[in-house]
Amino acid sequence: MSRLQQTHGLSDEQREIVATVRAFVDREILPVAAALEHADEYPQAIVDGMKDLGLFGLMIGEEHGGLGASLLTYALVVEELSRGWMSVSGIVNTHFIVAWMIAHHGTEEQKAHYLPRMATGEVRGAFSMSEPGCGSDVSAITTRAVPDGGDYVINGRKMWLTNGASANLVATLVKTDPDAGHRGMTTFLVDKTPGFGEVAPGLTVPGKIEKMGYKGVDTTELLFDGYRVPAARILGGAPGRGFYQMMDGVEVGRVNVAARGCGVARRAYELALGYARQRETFGRPIADHQAVLFRLAEMATKVEAAHQMMVMAARRKDSGERNDLEAGMAKYLASEYCKEVVEDAFRIHGGYGYSTEFEIERLYREAPMLLIGEGTADIQKMIIGRRLLDGAG
Ligand SMILES: Cc1cc2nc3c(=O)[nH]c(=O)nc-3n(C[C@H](O)[C@H](O)[C@H](O)COP(=O)(O)OP(=O)(O)OC[C@H]3O[C@@H](n4cnc5c(N)ncnc54)[C@H](O)[C@@H]3O)c2cc1C
């Protein structure tokens, strides 16, 4: 049995959940991932299977019908799912960010209204900060909500919504007071129908953004044109807290991206190890050439280091403390290592790594997404650096 990516101190229940998901990945995801990915097809059967396993309610509290699992359990599940196919983890990720934000910042009415249906997967969440003109610089968003009677009217254009079409709930960051900086930003819980076109009066999902990888999961724009939303759909009930709510959600998201990096890197390493054992050159398996063996050693070390860093970041958030420093470090390290491990696995495959018949080709197109999503490497370094100067160093 592999000694890599072991997590010490797990409960029996956590071990059972992770083992169940690993078996699901081996049985239901790995055999079909390549074909679905190449066809850019939404993995409906896999999503149905995840619903049956209760995965959409994994981190939602038992009082709302979920399994009440920790962020660590969730991250370990994401690591397993990403080992199978990163897009599948993308389908649950935005859902969990939104569920986390509602559970930690929502009113009692919002929790009761959304969380039980999110736990079953009937309501599926997307979250939207980015716009065509800004991603890293969240405070530069221009989408505006203006009060009108008991409602707000929203106008603007959002970009890069993962699950933008398949979700029916979008936690959307807008400006309610453009002169108030971060305190002028508000999160609205926007209900819509799944699909493309006009998904609610004044709300349009124009189409799918074509991507180099991370296929299967839909990524879209979202256009607000006089969209009316009741004030009761402000997350937490009062305007002005949206930036802080989103940053809390993004800390969960960063642990998730780190976990994805661990899963993709693990798969690339497994593929490389298997290939290096059976491919022969100059009369012996290529693993017996020291250059290849050293490459495998470096890959395994990175796989292990990223996992332990990710576990540490998840455990810190579970302890109730902010984990911005640790999540930033984990996300940065895991995504950079993932890119490097995938590249090394690609090299070990020789020419076959370039063939679409070999899985490493897909991983090679997926890994770069992790360098960007939930904040680029530069943004992680800014966060880490600031925390160090604040005294965390
Ligand atoms: C497939 C995909 C899915 C996504 N899903 C979502 C989603 O569900 N919801 C959502 O809200 N967003 C989503 N995003 C958007 C993503 O979060 C942004 O793309 C990301 O934050 C980077 O923003 P940007 O693309 O505007 O790049 P920019 O912010 O324009 O950055 C461009 C470059 O400049 C660098 N840079 C910027 N500012 C600084 C600085 N101060 N110091 C040093 N370097 C800097 C960046 O690191 C980067 O290299 C998704 C993106 C992709 C590609």
Side-chain angles (χ1 to χ4, degrees):
M1 189 188 146
S2 171
R3 279 161 53 191
L4 295 183
Q5 293 190 336
Q6 298 293 310
T7 313
H8 297 292
L10 294 183
S11 66
D12 290 345
E13 190 190 13
Q14 285 174 311
R15 265 195 292 274
E16 194 184 318
I17 290 172
V18 175
T20 302
V21 174
R22 186 175 303 156
F24 177 77
V25 167
D26 287 338
R27 200 178 57 242
E28 308 288 340
I29 300 184
L30 277 170
V32 296
L36 289 172
E37 204 268 351
H38 288 156
D40 198 3
E41 188 178 324
Y42 190 77
Q44 189 58 52
I46 294 174
V47 170
D48 291 343
M50 292 199 297
K51 273 188 196 168
D52 291 344
L53 287 178
L55 287 190
F56 286 95
L58 188 63
M59 258 205 314
I60 293 174
E62 286 171 340
E63 70 280 17
H64 292 115
L67 297 176
S70 63
L71 178 58
L72 175 60
T73 310
Y74 168 58
L76 296 175
V77 164
V78 166
E79 186 176 51
E80 295 297 337
L81 292 175
S82 304
R83 185 183 144 261
W85 183 14
M86 191 179 88
S87 295
V88 174
S89 71
I91 289 170
V92 288
N93 176 43
T94 62
H95 181 79
F96 275 114
I97 293 179
V98 177
W100 175 279
M101 287 167 64
I102 293 174
H104 289 82
H105 304 286
T107 62
E108 289 309 315
E109 185 274 328
Q110 289 166 348
K111 291 179 200 174
H113 182 69
Y114 287 112
L115 292 178
R117 289 180 302 132
M118 291 186 85
T120 60
E122 178 193 340
V123 172
R124 300 260 306 280
F127 88 99
S128 175
M129 291 196 292
S130 305
E131 295 187 356
C134 63
S136 305
D137 185 5
V138 177
S139 59
I141 61 168
T142 57
T143 300
R144 250 335 274 275
V146 177
D148 184 26
D151 293 344
Y152 277 76
V153 178
I154 306 183
N155 284 289
R157 188 180 191 110
K158 301 304 249 182
M159 181 76 182
W160 294 118
L161 282 84
T162 302
N163 299 305
S166 47
N168 44 7
L169 169 66
V170 185
T172 310
L173 189 66
V174 306
K175 280 199 171 153
T176 39
D177 184 354
D179 300 324
H182 292 152
R183 289 191 177 78
M185 299 165 94
T186 300
T187 305
F188 280 90
L189 299 171
V190 172
D191 296 306
K192 69 178 193 60
T193 54
F196 296 96
E198 192 167 40
V199 289
L203 190 65
T204 303
V205 178
K208 204 161 75 170
I209 300 171
E210 299 295 334
K211 307 177 296 258
M212 69 186 270
Y214 199 37
K215 291 174 186 278
V217 56
D218 43 292
T219 309
T220 74
E221 292 181 72
L222 185 64
L223 312 183
F224 291 87
D225 184 9
Y227 172 77
R228 294 189 83 84
V229 57
R233 285 290 162 263
I234 291 177
L235 180 63
R241 300 186 201 142
F243 182 80
Y244 303 98
Q245 294 163 344
M246 283 280 172
M247 289 306 116
D248 187 34
V250 157
E251 283 175 17
V252 174
R254 286 184 182 146
V255 173
N256 167 285
V257 173
R260 285 194 220 182
C262 295
V264 173
R266 174 64 186 262
R267 183 64 183 160
Y269 164 76
E270 281 173 10
L271 293 170
L273 182 67
Y275 190 81
R277 280 185 164 136
Q278 57 89 13
R279 177 73 172 177
E280 293 194 357
T281 66
F282 303 94
R284 48 176 143 145
I286 58 171
D288 283 354
H289 300 301
Q290 199 179 54
V292 176
L293 188 66
F294 277 17
R295 192 162 263 153
L296 288 168
E298 287 166 12
M299 292 162 74
T301 305
K302 289 173 182 173
V303 163
E304 183 62 16
H307 174 83
Q308 298 305 341
M309 181 77 105
M310 177 275 287
V311 167
M312 184 265 292
R315 282 196 159 130
R316 185 170 169 97
K317 188 91 175 169
D318 281 335
S319 74
E321 295 184 82
R322 280 207 72 180
N323 74 342
D324 49 356
L325 174 72
E326 294 77 8
M329 286 177 165
K331 195 266 169 184
Y332 169 54
L333 188 90
S335 57
E336 296 291 330
Y337 276 0
C338 176
K339 181 201 64 167
E340 292 168 16
V341 169
V342 167
E343 163 109 26
D344 278 339
F346 170 77
R347 289 175 193 264
I348 286 174
H349 279 75
Y352 291 103
Y354 211 64
S355 159
T356 56
E357 284 185 29
F358 281 67
E359 202 178 325
I360 192 64
E361 167 270 342
R362 170 169 62 79
L363 307 186
Y364 200 88
R365 289 183 287 103
E366 287 175 344
M369 154 64 189
L370 300 173
L371 304 172
I372 304 293
E374 309 291 355
T376 67
D378 302 315
I379 297 304
Q380 304 313 315
K381 287 188 225 174
M382 272 173 55
I383 294 166
I384 295 165
R386 280 184 191 149
R387 287 297 84 82
L388 299 181
L389 296 182
D390 284 351

